[in-house]
C-alpha cells in the first residue's frame, strides 16, 4: 500500500460523525429561531433547516455533530434547540470550531429561485451559514433567512478597451447576509463583451464591474430593482469614463540646439534636425495643466513613442506598493531628432496592459544649410563656442556633441562629435565613430565627393592642422569633412565632422 493511500485512509478514519439531538428545550439549551422568506416577504414553508457542530484539529481528528433539525411552518417560521458543546483544549491545542446553520432548498425550482450554487456557478442547493462566534448556554438567537426569486439578466459591457478580463458582480441580500455573485466576461478586440448574471427579483441588486482578481470598480456601479417587466439587458458603457480622461499631444515650440528659442521668425517656423522640439500633454480643449494629474489617474501609465524607434518615454507612471502608491508626471518634455522628413509622435494611455486612449501629431523636419544651422544667421542660432549634447529620447544608443564657433575674421564652423557610452575596444569604437559620422553626412548632404588631399586645406578656412582628412561632402551652401584626430598626451584619438559655409 502506497504512502498516499495510507494518508488518505488516515484522514478518513480520523473524521467522525454523530447525532446529539434533544427532544425538547431545556433551561441550558441554545435556541435559534427565525423566519424564512422569499421576494416581497412571502414565507417559504416546508424548508428543512438544521444545525451541525463542526470541530477540527490541524492535521488531527475532525468531528461533525448533528445538533438540531426542523422544518419551516406555513408562515415560514422555524425553531431549533440544542445543548452547546463545551469549549475544551486537547493536548494544549485549541480546535477550530463552528456551528453551521443549514437550509435545504432542494424543493425549490432553480430556474425560479436564486440557489447557493449560483454564487459558485454549480448545482449546490443547500445554504450554509457559518457561526464562528461564541455560543453559550441559554442563548436565544434570531436568524431570519431570505432566499429571493431570480431573474437572469444579460449584462453588456461596451468600450472597456483598457481591461484584459473583467468580472461582473452582483451584491445582494441572501440568506442572513450580503453575498456576491461573480461572472467573468471575456472582451473582444474592441473591449466589448456580455454575460448572463442572476438578479434578485423585486429586490435591490448592486452591480459593478471589476478586473478579474481585483478589488476596485473600473466604472460607476449600478443599483437597480429588477421586476418581471424589467428589460433583459443591463449596459455598462465605459465611454463616459474615457471622455473624462482624454488628452491631446501638443507640439508647442522648437529651439536651436542649445535651447535658444527661435520666436516668431517665419524663416524658422519649420524645425530642423538637431533643433530641440518641445511637447506637452494638454486637455482635449488644448488647455495646459502643469500640476493637475486628476485627468490621468485612470491610467497605469502614459507613454510617448514614435513608430520604428526602439525606445519610449513615460510621461505618466503610477506605481502601487503595500504602503501606498506613487505617481510620476511630466507635463512638458522635449527631444532632439536626427533625421529630416515627417515624424509621427504618439502619446498612449495604458491600463492593465492595453491602450485605452491615444493621440498623435505629425511634424516635419527640414535641413537648413547644415542640419539646424543657417550660415547667414549664425549668431542668432547659437551661443558661439558652446558645446552641447544632442540626444533623442527614442534612441539612447546615438548621441552627439556639437560645437559652433566664429573667429575674429567672421569665419564660421560647426563640429559634430559622437558621444559614446559603451565599453567597447578602442579600435571598434573608432570604426563605429567613423561609420556613424559618414552616415550622418550622407543622410543630410548626400554622397561623398572625390578631392585632392593636397588641396583640402584650401577648401576650409578653419581646418585643424594636425587632424587627418577623410571623406568630403558638399551641397549648395556647406562643405563638411570627416576628420581623424590622433591621440595626444591629454586625450585619446577620435573621429569628428568639421563643417563650414562655402
Amino acid at each position: 500500500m502506497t504512502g498516499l493511500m495510507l494518508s488518505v485512509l488516515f484522514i478518513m478514519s480520523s473524521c467522525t460523525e454523530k447525532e446529539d439531538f434533544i427532544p425538547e428545550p431545556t433551561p441550558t439549551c441554545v435556541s435559534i429561531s427565525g423566519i424564512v422568506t422569499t421576494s416581497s416577504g412571502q414565507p417559504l414553508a416546508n424548508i428543512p433547516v438544521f444545525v451541525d457542530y463542526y470541530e477540527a484539529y490541524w492535521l488531527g481528528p475532525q468531528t461533525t455533530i448533528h445538533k438540531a433539525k426542523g422544518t419551516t411552518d406555513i408562515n415560514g417560521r422555524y425553531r431549533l434547540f440544542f445543548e452547546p458543546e463545551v469549549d475544551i483544549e486537547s493536548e494544549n491545542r485549541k480546535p477550530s470550531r463552528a456551528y453551521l446553520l443549514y437550509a435545504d432548498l432542494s424543493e425549490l425550482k432553480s430556474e425560479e429561485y436564486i440557489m447557493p450554487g449560483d454564487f459558485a456557478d454549480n448545482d449546490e442547493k443547500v445554504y450554509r451559514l457559518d457561526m464562528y462566534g461564541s455560543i453559550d448556554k441559554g442563548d436565544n438567537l434570531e436568524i431570519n433567512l431570505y432566499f429571493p426569486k431570480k431573474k437572469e439578466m444579460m449584462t453588456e459591457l461596451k468600450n472597456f478597451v483598457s481591461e484584459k478580463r473583467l468580472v461582473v458582480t452582483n451584491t445582494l441580500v441572501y440568506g442572513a447576509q450580503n453575498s456576491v455573485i461573480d461572472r467573468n466576461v471575456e472582451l473582444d478586440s474592441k473591449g466589448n463583451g456580455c454575460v448572463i448574471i442572476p438578479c434578485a427579483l423585486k429586490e435591490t441588486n448592486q452591480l459593478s464591474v471589476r478586473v478579474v482578481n481585483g478589488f476596485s470598480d473600473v466604472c460607476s456601479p449600478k443599483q437597480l430593482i429588477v421586476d418581471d417587466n424589467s428589460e433583459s439587458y443591463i449596459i455598462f458603457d465605459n465611454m463616459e469614463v474615457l471622455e473624462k480622461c482624454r488628452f491631446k499631444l501638443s507640439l508647442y515650440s522648437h529651439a536651436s540646439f542649445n535651447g535658444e528659442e527661435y520666436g516668431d521668425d517665419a524663416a524658422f517656423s519649420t524645425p530642423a534636425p538637431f533643433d530641440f522640439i518641445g511637447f506637452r500633454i494638454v486637455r482635449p480643449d488644448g488647455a495646459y495643466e502643469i500640476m493637475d494629474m486628476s485627468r490621468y489617474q485612470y491610467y497605469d501609465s502614459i507613454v510617448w513613442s514614435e513608430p520604428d524607434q526602439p525606445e519610449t518615454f513615460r510621461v505618466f507612471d503610477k506605481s502601487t506598493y503595500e504602503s501606498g502608491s506613487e505617481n510620476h508626471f511630466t507635463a512638458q518634455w522635449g527631444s532632439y531628432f536626427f533625421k529630416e522628413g515627417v515624424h509621427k509622435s504618439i502619446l498612449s494611455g495604458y491600463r492593465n496592459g492595453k491602450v485605452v486612449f491615444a493621440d498623435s501629431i505629425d511634424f516635419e523636419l527640414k535641413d537648413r544649410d547644415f542640419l539646424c544651422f543657417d550660415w547667414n544667421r549664425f549668431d542668432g542660432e547659437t551661443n558661439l563656442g558652446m558645446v552641447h549634447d544632442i540626444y533623442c529620447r527614442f534612441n539612447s544608443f546615438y548621441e552627439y556633441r556639437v560645437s559652433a564657433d566664429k573667429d575674429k575674421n567672421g569665419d564660421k564652423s560647426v563640429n559634430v562629435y559622437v558621444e559614446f557610452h559603451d565599453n567597447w575596444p578602442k579600435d571598434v569604437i573608432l570604426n563605429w565613430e567613423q561609420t556613424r559620422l559618414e552616415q550622418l553626412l550622407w543622410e543630410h548632404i548626400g554622397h561623398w565627393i572625390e578631392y585632392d588631399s593636397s588641396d583640402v586645406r584650401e577648401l576650409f578656412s578653419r581646418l585643424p592642422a594636425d587632424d587627418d582628412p577623410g571623406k568630403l561632402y558638399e551641397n549648395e551652401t556647406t562643405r563638411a569633412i570627416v576628420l581623424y584626430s590622433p591621440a595626444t598626451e591629454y586625450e585619446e584619438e577620435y573621429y569628428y565632422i568639421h563643417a563650414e559655409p562655402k
Side-chain angles (χ1 to χ4, degrees):
M1 186 176 292
T2 66
L4 176 59
M5 294 177 65
L6 283 171
S7 298
V8 171
L9 287 175
F10 172 76
I11 293 173
M12 292 177 62
S13 65
S14 65
C15 298
T16 59
E17 187 172 346
K18 57 185 179 180
E19 295 180 351
D20 183 24
F21 300 122
I22 57 175
E24 57 185 26
T26 68
T28 59
C29 75
V30 174
S31 174
I32 300 178
S33 60
I35 183 171
V36 180
T37 59
T38 185
S39 299
S40 301
Q42 296 177 352
L44 285 172
N46 300 317
I47 300 296
V49 288
F50 48 96
V51 171
D52 285 348
Y53 171 81
Y54 175 79
E55 181 179 279
Y57 292 88
W58 173 248
L59 298 178
Q62 303 176 33
T63 302
T64 298
I65 304 176
H66 304 299
K67 302 294 290 184
K69 60 182 178 180
T71 304
T72 59
D73 63 17
I74 193 172
N75 296 313
R77 295 189 177 278
Y78 73 94
R79 186 187 180 204
L80 305 172
F81 45 85
F82 56 89
E83 293 291 344
E85 293 296 310
V86 178
D87 189 3
I88 61 174
E89 294 186 11
S90 175
E91 299 177 356
N92 298 320
R93 294 185 300 162
K94 247 191 165 181
S96 172
R97 57 200 305 269
Y99 289 91
L100 310 175
L101 174 64
Y102 293 92
D104 187 346
L105 308 180
S106 299
E107 295 302 315
L108 301 180
K109 295 181 179 180
S110 58
E111 63 270 19
E112 294 183 12
Y113 291 87
I114 294 180
M115 289 291 177
D118 287 319
F119 296 88
D121 204 10
N122 57 35
D123 296 327
E124 181 62 53
K125 294 185 177 181
V126 178
Y127 170 79
R128 188 183 84 178
L129 176 66
D130 297 349
M131 297 181 289
Y132 290 104
S134 176
I135 294 181
D136 299 321
K137 293 181 178 181
D139 282 349
N140 289 301
L141 306 178
E142 181 177 356
I143 301 177
N144 296 320
L145 301 177
Y146 171 70
F147 303 110
K149 288 188 175 182
K150 175 169 62 177
K151 182 171 184 177
E152 302 275 10
M153 300 290 288
M154 178 68 74
T155 304
E156 184 176 1
L157 308 185
K158 295 181 178 181
N159 301 303
F160 284 86
V161 294
S162 61
E163 316 300 347
K164 295 178 181 178
R165 291 176 62 208
L166 296 178
V167 58
V168 176
T169 69
N170 183 14
T171 304
L172 66 159
V173 177
Y174 191 80
Q177 57 197 9
N178 283 344
S179 299
V180 177
I181 298 176
D182 290 339
R183 292 293 183 268
N184 289 348
V185 185
E186 294 290 343
L187 301 179
D188 61 21
S189 60
K190 296 182 180 180
N192 302 325
C194 56
V195 69
I196 294 176
I197 192 165
C199 291
L201 192 64
K202 298 182 180 179
E203 300 294 343
T204 300
N205 298 266
Q206 181 86 12
L207 284 94
S208 61
V209 181
R210 299 175 181 175
V211 179
V212 172
N213 298 323
F215 299 99
S216 59
D217 296 343
V218 300
C219 63
S220 298
K222 293 180 182 291
Q223 188 177 88
L224 66 156
I225 296 177
V226 175
D227 58 35
D228 292 321
N229 298 320
S230 296
E231 295 183 3
S232 58
Y233 267 83
I234 302 171
I235 298 176
F236 286 92
D237 194 336
N238 199 46
M239 185 56 67
E240 180 182 352
V241 175
L242 297 182
E243 289 292 344
K244 293 179 181 178
C245 63
R246 289 182 182 272
F247 53 77
K248 285 182 66 176
L249 176 61
S250 171
L251 176 65
Y252 76 93
S253 80
H254 64 278
S256 63
F257 78 94
N258 66 357
E260 234 179 68
E261 291 198 17
Y262 288 124
D264 298 327
D265 193 328
F268 295 91
S269 59
T270 300
F274 283 36
D275 273 339
F276 184 82
I277 314 296
F279 298 85
R280 285 174 176 167
I281 182 172
V282 298
R283 295 189 333 199
D285 60 4
Y288 175 48
E289 301 170 313
I290 189 170
M291 297 299 293
D292 186 7
M293 291 190 294
S294 59
R295 176 173 295 274
Y296 315 117
Q297 294 299 313
Y298 179 73
Y299 303 101
D300 297 327
S301 63
I302 300 175
V303 179
W304 184 51
S305 63
E306 184 174 300
D308 303 322
Q309 288 287 354
E311 300 174 30
T312 60
F313 176 70
R314 291 201 173 200
V315 173
F316 175 77
D317 188 39
K318 179 165 57 179
S319 301
T320 303
Y321 311 98
E322 291 183 2
S323 57
S325 61
E326 180 181 15
N327 296 328
H328 168 75
F329 178 53
T330 303
Q332 179 174 294
W333 67 97
S335 178
Y336 301 88
F337 295 86
F338 304 148
K339 292 185 178 181
E340 66 173 339
V342 176
H343 290 249
K344 176 180 284 292
S345 255
I346 305 171
L347 199 59
S348 304
Y350 285 83
R351 183 178 169 94
N352 295 313
K354 285 189 177 182
V355 175
V356 178
F357 179 74
D359 189 45
S360 64
I361 56 173
D362 294 342
F363 60 94
E364 186 177 9
L365 301 183
K366 290 184 178 180
D367 278 313
R368 301 196 182 103
D369 291 333
F370 177 61
L371 299 174
C372 64
F373 294 96
D374 185 313
W375 299 118
N376 292 328
R377 294 178 57 90
F378 197 98
D379 293 338
E381 294 179 19
T382 177
N383 295 326
L384 301 182
M386 184 178 208
V387 178
H388 198 74
D389 291 333
I390 303 296
Y391 61 88
C392 178
R393 292 190 185 273
F394 296 139
N395 194 343
S396 60
F397 188 75
Y398 295 124
E399 187 174 332
Y400 301 94
R401 285 181 297 114
V402 179
S403 66
D405 198 7
K406 182 173 70 171
D407 62 20
K408 61 183 179 181
N409 298 320
D411 293 329
K412 309 165 185 177
S413 66
V414 171
N415 290 345
V416 180
Y417 309 83
V418 176
E419 188 74 18
F420 198 79
H421 301 289
D422 270 324
N423 190 25
W424 288 355
K426 186 58 183 177
D427 60 332
V428 177
I429 294 176
L430 284 172
N431 181 67
W432 186 84
E433 286 179 348
Q434 182 182 17
T435 301
R436 183 67 195 115
L437 293 171
E438 290 174 354
Q439 181 182 352
L440 182 69
L441 289 175
W442 180 85
E443 290 173 348
H444 294 278
I445 294 182
H447 195 276
W448 56 275
I449 63 174
E450 299 283 354
Y451 69 98
D452 186 344
S453 60
S454 63
D455 298 331
V456 68
R457 300 196 181 279
E458 297 179 5
L459 300 175
F460 294 89
S461 61
R462 309 192 69 214
L463 199 67
D466 297 331
D467 295 346
D468 299 331
K471 289 182 178 179
L472 178 67
Y473 301 77
E474 286 187 354
N475 63 16
E476 294 180 354
T477 62
T478 303
R479 186 175 287 120
I481 191 168
V482 176
L483 298 176
Y484 167 73
S485 180
T488 68
E489 181 182 356
Y490 303 103
E491 58 183 352
E492 295 182 341
E493 56 189 333
Y494 58 89
Y495 283 92
Y496 68 102
I497 293 171
H498 179 80
E500 294 182 12
K502 291 176 68 173

